[in-house]
Amino acid sequence: MIMPSPGGGCSGLRALATGWLIALLWLAGLAAPAQASAEPRLALVIVNGAYQSFDRLGSTYADGEKVATALNATGFTDASGTGPVQVRRDLTRAAMAQAIADFRAQLAAAGPKAFGTLYFSGHGAALGSYGDVMLLPVDAGRDLSPESASLTRAALTHHLLGSGAQTVLIVLDMCRNVLPAPPPTLTQMIAAETGTEASAVGELAGSKGLRRMVRAAAATIRPDQGYLVAFSTSADQVAFDDGVFSKILAEEIRRPQQNIADALKRVSDRVALSSGRNFQKPTFDYGLQGAPPCFISCDRAASDRFYDCANCPWMRAIPAGLSPFGSPPSEPGRSGDEPVQAQVRIDRPFAIGVYEVTIAEWNACVRDNACAKLGNWARENPNPLIPASDISYEDAQAFLAWLTVQSGRAYRLPSEQEWEYASRAGAPTAFPWGDDISPSMANYDHTARYHGSDTAPYRGYPEAVNSYPANAFGLNQMQGNMWEWTSGCTDTSCRARVMRGGSFESAPGALRAANRFTVPPGKRRQDAGLRVVRDLEPDEIGGTT
């Protein structure tokens, strides 16, 4: 994120993916508290700008002040153990190592419920093809040294985990200039520093997915600890020295009713949609166990959702089971292509998007030249939760292919049976909430009636994907807002594809759970979006069966 000049890229050595990195460690199964301030909270803020061998940085000091102020507002005290969080400036290697060691000691003294946050702003370096990154002190040279092992992400993460703190959050807001690939001895040094088997050092970057991670019994860290690693921009993209990231991060730290995973995803989406001339999209890689904690307060409804990458939609696991499919002959508005209602069995649990795909998620695909730049209702409302729109079936397939590469998971569209099963959440009625509809229940053409329903003025635009209450499965706006593509088609050659759910332009009868709408696969509509699905792996199914 930190750059030598406004609008510029990282310099010094060959520039690669630049960015901040966050390692988050939290208690498994942590209940969402009304206020997340009961535990001791300590924060260490380090900002380096006056480099000797790298370009000096202009915004890093202001970045640190913004984050320190936000941490103070959410109950953190300084890493020394007393007083407000202080910003430590321009530390040498020895001073950084001492500050981190003292921070670890204070966390250990605070006890097993401690919540520690380390924020570093300055230059960083990617260790070639090795995959780790290191923090650069102001006296850093351009070559690796044995002392580098203590300031790598892997070493730092395990060092702070060793404090025994319940929650540790590490934010590394930095450029990542590429240094030569480390010699084999560096792997051994990191293994010795962290107390980890050398063969496992490369695994410290974590597995993808904000979900349960099962550790081997021989793991040296507690089973109730984990971590999250995030970067302020996508691979091979540039982060900018314009203060946008630190400003948004500080705002999200102070936002209530969201856990840290929510906060990080909102940071990612908001940075991508910021009005500045520079584009960057924060991304993550992580491994953890249990529910994320909160800076201020948690939304209990968000406790069992997950995402597979920063650009990936929020998902929920849907259990297998029986559900009505189709409509009874007496249902008002029923059309001839709807099957007569009968019970359908979904044999395997699956994961489906909590929301329709958002414009922030779609724009990340556009930035990678994998998706077309389409209609954008976010121009009217710069909310990162505005749904992506103007999407054809073919566009949706391009997004799913890109998302599969990004996440390492096979994403797809829901089948018609899966979509209706998820939409109904067990309800046999016309809508998931009953046989009636009103303007407070969904975003549709509120001037139209269904079976004598109330009316309201016409809105004529999509709303944020979380604007209306979730159904019994915890899924938002499966009715209204955007038509959603499914994998269903009307004939063996699939000359027309099936959409479900209705949109902000639809009459209320189109929002019935059984309603089907067929569209040619290449046609784009301003009220067409998508919701993604992926199959669950055996270790993810757990109690969803």
Side-chain angles (χ1 to χ4, degrees):
M1 157 100 177
I2 305 304
M3 315 304 279
S5 60
C10 285
S11 63
L13 300 177
R14 180 170 60 90
L16 187 66
T18 60
W20 57 279
L21 114 85
I22 296 179
L24 171 64
L25 310 106
W26 55 60
L27 174 67
L30 184 66
Q35 291 291 329
S37 58
E39 70 283 332
R41 294 181 165 207
L42 299 170
L44 172 62
V45 175
I46 299 172
V47 295
N48 288 344
Y51 282 89
Q52 300 171 13
S53 300
F54 295 88
D55 290 335
R56 290 175 175 255
L57 303 175
S59 296
T60 186
Y61 306 123
D63 291 339
E65 293 293 344
K66 292 173 190 173
V67 173
T69 299
L71 291 170
N72 281 322
T74 53
F76 282 83
T77 57
D78 189 67
S80 62
T82 59
V85 178
Q86 302 296 314
V87 178
R88 291 160 172 79
R89 297 189 175 194
D90 296 328
L91 300 189
T92 62
R93 185 182 305 280
M96 282 184 66
Q98 187 62 55
I100 292 167
D102 292 345
F103 180 46
R104 181 184 187 276
Q106 287 292 338
L107 286 175
K113 292 186 178 181
F115 179 4
T117 294
L118 167 62
Y119 174 82
F120 170 78
S121 178
H123 275 304
L127 302 179
S129 60
Y130 174 68
D132 203 357
V133 294
M134 56 189 292
L135 292 65
L136 295 183
V138 292
D139 59 347
R142 291 172 176 260
D143 298 317
L144 293 174
S145 64
E147 293 79 11
S148 301
S150 64
L151 293 178
T152 63
R153 173 189 59 189
L156 186 62
T157 299
H158 271 248
H159 186 58
L160 292 179
L161 273 170
S163 70
Q166 176 173 287
T167 304
V168 179
L169 170 65
I170 303 174
V171 182
L172 304 183
D173 183 355
M174 64 191 195
C175 291
R176 294 189 299 134
N177 294 316
V178 179
L179 296 180
T185 54
L186 184 58
T187 299
Q188 297 297 331
M189 287 190 295
I190 293 173
E193 172 70 24
T194 62
T196 305
E197 290 291 333
S199 60
V201 169
E203 299 175 2
L204 296 177
S207 59
K208 292 183 177 178
L210 186 59
R211 59 188 180 87
R212 181 176 60 86
M213 183 184 71
V214 178
R215 293 193 179 85
T220 58
I221 59 176
R222 287 175 10 197
D224 59 359
Q225 294 178 302
Y227 60 90
L228 168 65
V229 177
F231 301 87
S232 67
T233 194
S234 304
D236 301 316
Q237 301 295 337
V238 174
F240 295 92
D241 188 24
D242 54 13
V244 170
F245 166 69
S246 61
K247 175 179 180 293
I248 291 175
L249 174 63
E251 290 172 352
E252 293 304 325
I253 286 173
R254 301 177 72 164
R255 184 188 296 274
Q257 285 297 294
Q258 60 176 356
N259 60 40
I260 293 182
D262 287 313
L264 296 181
K265 194 162 190 340
R266 279 188 61 88
V267 169
S268 176
D269 291 345
R270 289 184 59 196
V271 169
L273 289 183
S274 61
S275 58
R277 63 187 178 89
N278 303 318
F279 179 92
Q280 66 187 75
K281 184 67 169 73
T283 57
F284 327 135
D285 189 15
Y286 32 71
L288 65 145
Q289 294 188 151
C294 309
F295 280 116
I296 296 179
S297 59
C298 290
D299 177 3
R300 293 182 182 275
S303 62
D304 60 348
R305 66 187 188 184
F306 65 92
Y307 54 79
D308 291 321
C309 64
N311 298 321
C312 296
W314 281 111
M315 307 291 285
R316 283 195 193 277
I318 305 299
L322 287 170
S323 176
F325 182 76
S327 54
S330 59
E331 185 170 291
R334 183 179 189 275
S335 60
D337 64 346
E338 297 173 23
V340 175
Q341 191 173 93
Q343 292 291 309
V344 169
R345 175 175 292 279
I346 300 297
D347 292 325
R348 281 184 54 82
F350 61 94
I352 189 169
V354 175
Y355 309 121
E356 294 155 333
V357 170
T358 66
I359 189 62
E361 292 157 355
W362 185 271
N363 279 356
C365 181
V366 174
R367 176 67 180 183
D368 284 350
N369 296 316
C371 292
K373 188 174 183 179
L374 303 175
N376 185 354
W377 286 94
R379 294 172 183 169
E380 306 295 327
N381 179 2
N383 185 333
L385 294 179
I386 293 297
S389 61
D390 208 26
I391 296 170
S392 70
Y393 177 87
E394 294 167 354
D395 295 327
Q397 293 300 314
F399 178 81
L400 292 164
W402 170 82
L403 195 61
T404 295
V405 172
Q406 290 284 304
S407 66
R409 310 283 177 179
Y411 279 83
R412 59 181 175 82
L413 290 174
S415 68
E416 285 198 78
Q417 289 79 11
E418 288 171 331
W419 189 96
E420 189 168 333
Y421 178 75
S423 170
R424 289 185 177 278
T429 48
F431 307 98
W433 52 79
D435 287 320
D436 299 317
I437 190 171
S438 71
S440 65
M441 295 174 176
N443 185 17
Y444 59 92
D445 180 357
H446 293 161
T447 66
R449 295 183 184 274
Y450 175 78
H451 203 46
S453 63
D454 294 335
T455 61
Y458 182 61
R459 294 185 180 180
Y461 55 85
E463 298 182 80
V465 294
N466 63 348
S467 294
Y468 291 86
N471 68 8
F473 278 151
L475 309 177
N476 291 76
Q477 296 204 95
M478 295 203 71
Q479 270 59 43
N481 216 38
M482 285 284 159
W483 282 106
E484 299 177 10
W485 288 102
T486 73
S487 62
C489 51
T490 57
D491 56 71
T492 56
S493 61
C494 288
R495 289 172 294 184
R497 292 283 180 173
V498 178
M499 305 185 80
R500 292 295 200 107
S503 78
F504 67 91
E505 294 183 335
S506 299
L511 276 63
R512 294 177 303 105
N515 184 56
R516 304 171 77 234
F517 180 45
T518 58
V519 179
K523 184 174 178 58
R524 292 171 175 162
R525 295 174 53 95
Q526 70 169 357
D527 63 346
L530 76 153
R531 188 181 303 258
V532 302
V533 160
R534 76 165 174 84
D535 296 321
L536 294 171
E537 297 181 15
D539 68 331
E540 296 179 295
I541 291 175
T544 62
T545 54

